[in-house]
Amino acid sequence: GTGLGLGRPVAVLVSLLVVGTLAGLAQSVLLARLAEGIVLQARRDLVSRFLLARLEQVQRFRAGKLVTRVTSDTLLLREATTSSLVQLVNASVSLVGSVALMAVLDWQLLLTTLLALVVGGGLFGALVPQIGRADKRAQDAVGQLGAELEGGVRALRTVKSSRAEQRQIARVSERAEESARHAVRSAWFSALVWSVAGGGMQLAVIVILGLGAGRVALGELSVSTLVAFLLYAFNIVDPVATLAEAVATLQSGFAAAARIRETTSLEPESPQVGSPRAARAGAAGEAVRRPVDADAPVLALRGVTAGYADAQAPALHDVSLEVPRTGHVALVGPSGAGKTTVLSLLLRFIDPVSGRLELDGVPYESLSLDEVRGRIAYVEQETPVVPGTVRDNVLFRVPEASDDEAWAALAAVRLEGKVRSLEAGLDASVAETSLSGGERQRLAVARALVQPSGGAAAR
Ligand SMILES: Nc1ncnc2c1ncn2[C@@H]1O[C@H](COP(=O)(O)OP(=O)(O)OP(=O)(O)O)[C@@H](O)[C@H]1O
Ligand SMILES: [Mg+2]
């Protein structure tokens, strides 16, 4: 009967529906995976670029700005790289298809349409870079907001004790307002682009109708061709508008990409004579195994002049210094004399302008960063804690060391009792705020006391 006759087409329709739904699902998931893959890769690249770069270059950026590069700029990249790329392709295909069909129908009307497209394209080309510029400014302001906020929270005790909360709030809010202002500007331009593209195409349809009607009256064009042509012309309004939107979104993505690209000026530290692996096996390894000249001082500065790029006079001028193999050396001088600068040189955070440094009589140029830094335990002046647990902090230089070594180091700085009193012991997480200033300093000393077993430090 009729029920059986309908069963088949209905089954076909249902299976098409299922297939279509699954395909749509797969497309969304694949797109999302692609987008997140791009974001992930960009974030990984940025994080390793920041941590591997030379100290002075990273310090030129404010911490909050680096954070927004990694967290928010990468998100803009996602928008641009996926949905708008798909839109771009889809819209281009239907645009080209419609235009080809219109060419078959009537050349003169097609030329009118193309003229409208070119004029619209010109306006569009003028507006689109504005979107990118506004977006870049908005993101820059977000970066500054991050930096201001980070600095304010870091110095919160000072801010509160100075009763400067409102001033600080105003400073941060100002950045937020600036970002909003530029974002609205960008939205304005996007809306303009969209209206110009959509409205321009509608206008072109009206012109085609007028021209076509005239030619129909002259008998040059059949009514059916004009109607067919108009249908195709209506058909390209949508793709053109979609295309405009996609290009506008892409522009925001380019702005984000440009901000991310700015960080390529951060070069990794050099010269890295030999990777850690090469240092063990290769030529650099021989330098480590070479019997140490017992007469040579452990560390030496020979006629070293060094300074900072943005300072006029060098911080150190022709400094010579030897650190003997045994005993203690104290470096004493007024504030700003250059004591920290000497340590920065010894750890190769900065390089001397002239003169040279030696470790065991071997000039620094023939040693890798690892060989130098592996020999020196450094407690920095502003003893920050490392994010993580007590164990993470104490064993930061030698993660493979045992808990016993951690306890021994803590005992040496009289922090053992304090850590034993914590419920989680070595696993207690330490925040900047949960330790007193002195405890933080002693934790840093404990970190310096844990030595790598064997290797260079055993000598
Ligand atoms: N990153 C930097 N950029 C530019 N100039 C710097 C930088 N760090 C230090 N200076 C300058 O170099 C000089 C030496 O600074 P350094 O930090 O070595 O002094 P210091 O002897 O450790 O002083 P303090 O006892 O106060 O810690 C100072 O004039 C300082 O202003
Ligand atoms: Mg100092």
Side-chain angles (χ1 to χ4, degrees), residues 59 308-311 315 333-342 381:
Q59 283 180 338
Y308 300 93
D310 46 352
S335 174
K339 304 178 294 293
T340 301
T341 306
V342 167
Q381 190 165 1

Side-chain angles (χ1 to χ4, degrees), residues 53-418:
R54 294 180 59 85
L55 191 72
E56 48 191 317
Q57 291 191 337
V58 183
Q59 283 180 338
R60 271 209 299 275
F61 284 87
R62 293 174 65 184
K65 276 193 178 182
L66 294 183
V67 171
T68 54
R69 298 269 154 123
V70 177
T71 52
S72 106
D73 283 354
T74 47
L75 285 182
L76 281 182
L77 210 58
R78 172 172 71 186
E79 295 290 310
T81 44
T82 52
S83 50
S84 60
L85 269 187
V86 170
Q87 283 179 341
L88 203 68
V89 172
N90 284 348
S92 304
V93 168
S94 46
L95 188 64
V96 168
S98 299
V99 168
L101 289 170
M102 286 158 89
V104 172
L105 286 175
D106 189 83
W107 269 105
Q108 297 189 17
L109 289 181
L110 176 71
L111 283 183
T112 318
T113 316
L114 289 184
L115 190 71
L117 280 179
V118 167
V119 172
L123 274 172
F124 187 66
L127 285 173
V128 159
Q130 301 283 339
I131 299 176
R133 232 165 285 151
D135 276 330
K136 186 165 183 309
R137 295 219 178 100
Q139 281 302 105
D140 279 339
V142 171
Q144 279 162 355
L145 180 144
E148 291 283 352
L149 181 62
E150 195 256 1
V153 171
R154 185 186 292 274
L156 196 55
R157 284 162 203 256
T158 307
V159 171
K160 281 188 180 293
S161 65
S162 313
R163 290 166 296 121
E165 295 99 325
Q166 292 304 333
R167 262 180 291 151
Q168 203 58 30
I169 291 170
R171 280 175 71 116
V172 179
S173 304
E174 206 176 292
R175 300 304 183 186
E177 284 157 21
E178 197 182 326
S179 170
R181 220 170 27 243
H182 289 300
V184 169
R185 229 174 110 81
S186 160
W188 250 106
F189 284 121
S190 292
L192 262 179
V193 159
W194 205 82
S195 315
V196 164
M201 282 319 296
Q202 312 257 19
L203 193 67
V205 168
I206 295 172
V207 172
I208 291 168
L209 185 63
L211 268 180
R215 291 182 58 217
V216 168
L218 289 175
E220 286 174 14
L221 194 71
S222 72
V223 174
S224 59
T225 310
L226 177 61
V227 169
F229 196 92
L230 277 174
L231 283 179
Y232 284 123
F234 275 121
N235 246 350
I236 69 171
V237 174
D238 253 8
V240 165
T242 309
L243 213 59
E245 222 186 335
V247 170
T249 315
L250 267 182
Q251 198 62 35
S252 313
F254 286 147
R259 285 169 49 79
I260 289 172
R261 240 196 338 269
E262 277 171 16
T263 60
T264 47
S265 63
L266 295 173
E267 313 137 22
E269 283 178 299
S270 59
Q272 212 127 14
V273 183
S275 62
R277 204 174 300 139
R280 250 173 265 132
E286 278 155 34
V288 172
R289 260 182 268 116
R290 173 169 53 211
V292 174
D293 177 3
D295 298 330
V298 180
L299 287 164
L301 272 72
R302 310 222 182 267
V304 168
T305 298
Y308 300 93
D310 46 352
Q312 283 166 343
L316 295 178
H317 188 75
D318 196 16
V319 172
S320 292
L321 167 78
E322 289 192 353
V323 178
R325 201 150 289 280
T326 53
H328 294 105
V329 172
L331 202 55
V332 184
S335 174
K339 304 178 294 293
T340 301
T341 306
V342 167
L343 289 167
S344 296
L345 280 164
L346 290 175
L347 284 150
R348 293 182 101 170
F349 299 145
I350 59 174
D351 290 321
V353 180
S354 64
R356 64 178 195 170
L357 291 97
E358 290 169 6
L359 175 65
D360 288 336
V362 181
Y364 266 29
E365 294 85 73
S366 51
L367 294 169
S368 72
L369 285 177
D370 278 321
E371 283 169 301
V372 173
R373 292 184 187 161
R375 290 284 301 278
I376 303 175
Y378 178 47
V379 178
E380 61 176 305
Q381 190 165 1
E382 286 157 29
T383 55
V385 297
V386 185
T389 63
V390 174
R391 183 188 289 103
D392 292 337
N393 267 276
V394 178
L395 303 184
F396 201 56
R397 298 183 68 233
V398 196
E400 65 276 8
S402 67
D403 282 7
D404 289 342
E405 288 174 80
W407 284 118
L410 286 169
V413 296
R414 312 219 169 150
L415 266 183
E416 196 193 5
K418 161 86 185 172

